[in-house]
Amino acid sequence: MVVVMQPQASKELISEVNARLTEAGFLTQVIYGVKRTVVAAVGDRRAIESMGLEALPGVEKVVPIMQPYKLASREVKEERTIINVKGVTIGGRELAVIAGPCAVESKEQLMEAAYSARQAGARLLRGGAFKPRTSPYSFQGMEEKGLELLAQTAQETNMVTVSEVIDEESLQMSLDYIDVLQIGTRNMQNFRLLKAAGKSGKPILLKRGHSATVEEWLMAAEYVMSEGNQQVILCERGIRTFETATRNTLDLSAVPLIKGLSHLPVVVDPSHATGKRDLVAPMSLAAVAAGADGLLVEMHPDPARALCDGPQSLNPREFSELMERMRPVAAAMGKEL
Amino acid sequence: MVVVMQPQASKELISEVNARLTEAGFLTQVIYGVKRTVVAAVGDRRAIESMGLEALPGVEKVVPIMQPYKLASREVKEERTIINVKGVTIGGRELAVIAGPCAVESKEQLMEAAYSARQAGARLLRGGAFKPRTSPYSFQGMEEKGLELLAQTAQETNMVTVSEVIDEESLQMSLDYIDVLQIGTRNMQNFRLLKAAGKSGKPILLKRGHSATVEEWLMAAEYVMSEGNQQVILCERGIRTFETATRNTLDLSAVPLIKGLSHLPVVVDPSHATGKRDLVAPMSLAAVAAGADGLLVEMHPDPARALCDGPQSLNPREFSELMERMRPVAAAMGKEL
Amino acid sequence: MVVVMQPQASKELISEVNARLTEAGFLTQVIYGVKRTVVAAVGDRRAIESMGLEALPGVEKVVPIMQPYKLASREVKEERTIINVKGVTIGGRELAVIAGPCAVESKEQLMEAAYSARQAGARLLRGGAFKPRTSPYSFQGMEEKGLELLAQTAQETNMVTVSEVIDEESLQMSLDYIDVLQIGTRNMQNFRLLKAAGKSGKPILLKRGHSATVEEWLMAAEYVMSEGNQQVILCERGIRTFETATRNTLDLSAVPLIKGLSHLPVVVDPSHATGKRDLVAPMSLAAVAAGADGLLVEMHPDPARALCDGPQSLNPREFSELMERMRPVAAAMGKEL
Amino acid sequence: MVVVMQPQASKELISEVNARLTEAGFLTQVIYGVKRTVVAAVGDRRAIESMGLEALPGVEKVVPIMQPYKLASREVKEERTIINVKGVTIGGRELAVIAGPCAVESKEQLMEAAYSARQAGARLLRGGAFKPRTSPYSFQGMEEKGLELLAQTAQETNMVTVSEVIDEESLQMSLDYIDVLQIGTRNMQNFRLLKAAGKSGKPILLKRGHSATVEEWLMAAEYVMSEGNQQVILCERGIRTFETATRNTLDLSAVPLIKGLSHLPVVVDPSHATGKRDLVAPMSLAAVAAGADGLLVEMHPDPARALCDGPQSLNPREFSELMERMRPVAAAMGKEL
């Protein structure tokens, strides 16, 4: 980490900073420039967080060199993490396809969705039982009844379940029904929930926040992992930008970027990212070509009657066509469908 | 609300949309253009939310006309909401200044901060007992002990307390100690927490999310209000943009904008918005000139020793200088300090 | 187009708006809602631009329904535009690969780059002779000498040339040497330059602006086309967002989105978008899978000695490996390399 | 500047980097960390630009310490720059108010605008003769005729003129008529135009680009200054963000920020920033309170008939009311109106 002093910082202020760092166990070196002096410090970045160095008189800025995350980093663990849920793997050669409706609405709807998803080759079933909705007047989910339906349907179709939890209560309730717990975009920095997820011992699908940097996202994973749960799946689902033609801007570069920074698997959600049914297929193919370990695709037996996200949901036919188109691309990337 | 049909949409598809809307109790009108047909529908926008119209074949897009929020809107309540907490008012002629450290660290630290804040003219005392931190390795707050210290100190200095709650547990715990409950940036769309805040009956300081639009922010207020709690104070604290020279970009235009859309009071937090001590004073003055009802300013007896946000905290001298400089500007805006 | 009136707008104000629109040749319909009245107008959106309707008393906002661009729109021309430059096609079955160094530096450098690019299967050679640089102290390009080298080298390697023009002077100078004129990101809304490009009669590679919406980008193409030049190639090269881990955020969703809105070909520049050599290959594959008509890839015989953009340039070996990996993906998309 | 090596970088690669830097005249120091080695280099950052260090094998990233601009920096010139145009000063005690219509439309329109602006206390008259418009179908300006009208009107009302130039031709044409040349948002990085502006010897009003960082903006000023013209006025006019409730997001924090980084005067344009007439007055007051040296306000005798930007233009009455409300705020900031 490098502490940049202000041009007019006195020798005293410089040694004060130096002293503080040495005190804190850092190995330091003072470098005198023409205009500025900088103090380079070698040590654990985490120790710096609460030192308030930038508040010291004479300090212009503090430039961190190392990443703030450890457990999620490839520097700590080189080999890729492969998560195995009842025989379905995420992060390995298998391309993990998670499909299903935005919200669980009824036994029929879910059964029909699950059946066609499975038929087409998806092995993970998604469906929301607790819906965080922007409007208090929108449908909020079937809650426990929805979890039951998911578990039942998954068993009948031999699939693995993925469903969102929104607080500790819904998390506890989901433990008996759900195989992979999803933490949604709006809760990516709900640290209490992240810790609870870490304690749950279940694989966690961690969606990227609307405006979270890759570093903040990996720090959120670090929260889960620091509770002893290493089974984190990162899900890119689009970030918020100035562009309004799509619901969000899918940041596919984050996929290979994270592959370089972390050992965790990365999947992509083209449905929420684009918000447009027509863009789901091309962006699914692009995600696979970018090296994603899997996809999370919204699919509904009758999108026009869906209680949420109809506009971005594929119908069963569209979904199975997508799966067909995906095979050669997956093959080109050395992935199996 | 206007439903725009695709250029090639058939008469059948158009009447299907029309039927759906009429069915749902909307008063409709079909307008035939040269290239496109649009269906205009008059009625409650909320009814549309779960209709999935955009998923209907032939529909290009749905353009809402009305705002989605009701209780927070000036169309429902013209006169401004003035919140009275133990004699301190927010939203009226009085300029509400909320000051104090980012985190409660000790009796001494808090006492010193509170005393000088009160001296300088602030009547509300802030301090975090539950700290949502990006890193799991950073200081997480004193929790209940911190709440006790806050309540005690406020009583001794005759101030009103403001403190952040991060989940239902911390909210319940705060009820006995805190006068104004703060919902932080990262929880602006933690809908469970918003509902709990609504049920608490306490005034709620609702910070804007990192990347929340003004509309989403007002919808979050709507969540609190729809539970029967009309005492919501909106706090602009900077949004995330491409600019990295400041911690966030303070969106001061949101202040007069919201004054036009809503009857709720709006305060500004220049400390988190800028992340730089030097910018806190100028942006405080600017906020007042923009019409803000108050300010939330981080202040610490010894910023260089602060356990969090030292770089953006004013020391007591800087704070009282700011209060002095603020008087004429407040006066020019018809506000009292 | 829909004009939304303010809640309290009087009958007089409403008829004033109605009159103005009828006057301007619009077919109107007034729709009376519970809270609001809206005036729907059918006609050419372009006529509205200079009417200043939103400035009329009583008007809350004007909501356009149609796209503002015409010539670039698929509604005007259904079949895809295929551009043929000396036998190389862009927009058809052929995947157009444009490769070469950021800047032309010397005969040797360019020859080596061109030779290996051609070898690997690229048929278009890029190289900057006029460099718009953020710093006045950075290398600004070889200008005419660079153009000569490009033309020469392209002839010797039987390639087609692509090079950026930054003003009318450099455009005129390029006419004798360059086959495809590139308009750079910073000039996407340099309207004088766009018109000159329109008059040039040469195919134009139009890069998306740093913070241009897809609509603004298509409007820039409209500028070129409105001068009679229909040969416009759109180039997605990343947009500016809050994320700093990559140089820009590659908006790949824009590719299928534009395919739906316009008949113009779209290519992708993964080099400038990511700014990181490691991300160029995966994002090139993703671009092809998303349906791009081609790629623009920076390649340099010795990136570490490049006068600009070394960090994002591939060396010849990396480039030919990329081309090999691209074949199966291109094939899966029905494209030929 | 600090070069961060990859964790696995070999001793050879480290010395290669070190050698390169020493070669280039930098004073270096190698710092060996636990995970990483960094090479600190003292010298002129500009020399680094074209070294392509980040492309060297083993290099992870290059972290600059110093600002890239020199002439615009306060480190080079401590005292504030005050620009004097025919007795009107910008950057001193005087608050410089630039008012007038978006576009020059006619003698009458301009005369009426100028007269009331002057009456209300504005001493600088703005009006566009060359209009960069998003749509090729919108009004493009009166060009030379407009310049004549501006010069004439300014003389009759004893005002100073400000008008936008969009290329070298319009710049040359403006020299005889205009006192302060404006470089618009879209041309902030039109480097040819910046150099021509530098050679013109006229004061330059440099608007911030839609998505330009403060650093890039100051680098654009550096372009002008590096041609020998030190008379640059920076104009904050809003940046592009995800928020669509306002036309742009006015980044007022940039005002005090730049005051700390540079000696150049900074003015604010609340009209383009907000795009809403109702927000112009509050944001003008806020800008003055934030420490702006002046304002650029759009004003039109009859906004509803304006050929451009009517929705954000004040009428003469609104403008003079704003000037009245501004006096006490300006006074509080030690500025004269």
Side-chain angles (χ1 to χ4, degrees), chain A residues 6 16 20 23 46 49-57 68-71 130-140 143 166-170 186-187 189-192 195 210-213 215-216 219-220 222-223 226 240 277-278 302-308 310-312, chain B residues 6 16 20 23 46 49-57 68-71 130-140 143 166-170 186-187 189-192 195 210-213 215-216 219-220 222-223 226 240 277-278 302-308 310-312:
Chain A
Q6 290 162 353
E16 159 75 8
R20 280 280 199 107
E23 217 175 88
R46 289 173 289 181
E49 302 284 326
S50 49
M51 282 183 65
L53 276 177
E54 276 171 316
L56 277 179
Y69 44 88
K70 306 284 157 199
L71 303 170
F130 302 92
K131 303 302 307 172
R133 304 298 298 273
T134 309
S135 166
Y137 312 116
S138 304
F139 173 62
Q140 312 270 319
E143 313 212 329
I166 60 178
D167 55 10
E168 289 177 68
E169 186 192 345
S170 54
R186 297 181 178 80
N187 284 312
Q189 291 193 317
N190 181 336
F191 302 118
R192 285 301 177 98
K195 287 181 178 179
H210 269 122
S211 62
T213 61
E215 186 172 290
E216 291 165 332
M219 285 307 286
E222 191 85 3
Y223 257 94
S226 64
R240 178 156 280 184
R277 185 193 289 115
D278 301 350
D302 180 3
R305 297 274 171 194
L307 292 189
C308 85
Q312 72 201 33
Chain B
Q6 291 162 351
E16 159 75 8
R20 281 278 200 109
E23 218 175 88
R46 290 173 289 180
E49 302 286 326
S50 49
M51 282 184 64
L53 275 178
E54 274 169 318
L56 277 181
Y69 44 86
K70 305 285 157 197
L71 304 170
F130 302 92
K131 305 301 307 172
R133 305 299 298 273
T134 309
S135 165
Y137 312 116
S138 304
F139 173 61
Q140 311 271 318
E143 312 212 329
I166 60 178
D167 56 9
E168 288 177 68
E169 187 192 344
S170 54
R186 298 183 178 78
N187 284 313
Q189 290 193 318
N190 180 336
F191 302 118
R192 286 298 177 100
K195 287 180 178 179
H210 270 121
S211 61
T213 61
E215 186 172 289
E216 290 166 332
M219 285 306 286
E222 191 85 4
Y223 256 95
S226 63
R240 179 156 278 184
R277 184 194 289 113
D278 301 350
D302 180 2
R305 297 273 170 194
L307 293 188
C308 84
Q312 70 200 34

Side-chain angles (χ1 to χ4, degrees), chain C residues 20 46 133-135 137 140 143 167 186 189-192 211 216 219 222-223 240 304-305, chain D residues 20 46 133 135 137 140 143 167 186 189-192 211 216 219 222-223 240 304-305:
Chain C
R20 280 279 199 106
R46 289 173 290 181
R133 304 300 297 274
T134 308
S135 166
Y137 312 115
Q140 311 270 319
E143 313 213 327
D167 57 9
R186 297 183 178 78
Q189 289 193 318
N190 181 337
F191 301 118
R192 286 300 177 99
S211 61
E216 291 166 331
M219 285 307 285
E222 191 85 3
Y223 257 95
R240 179 156 280 184
R305 297 274 170 194
Chain D
R20 280 279 200 106
R46 289 173 289 182
R133 304 299 298 274
S135 165
Y137 311 116
Q140 310 272 320
E143 313 213 326
D167 56 9
R186 297 181 178 78
Q189 290 193 317
N190 180 338
F191 302 118
R192 287 300 178 97
S211 61
E216 290 166 333
M219 284 307 284
E222 191 85 3
Y223 257 94
R240 178 155 280 184
R305 297 273 170 195

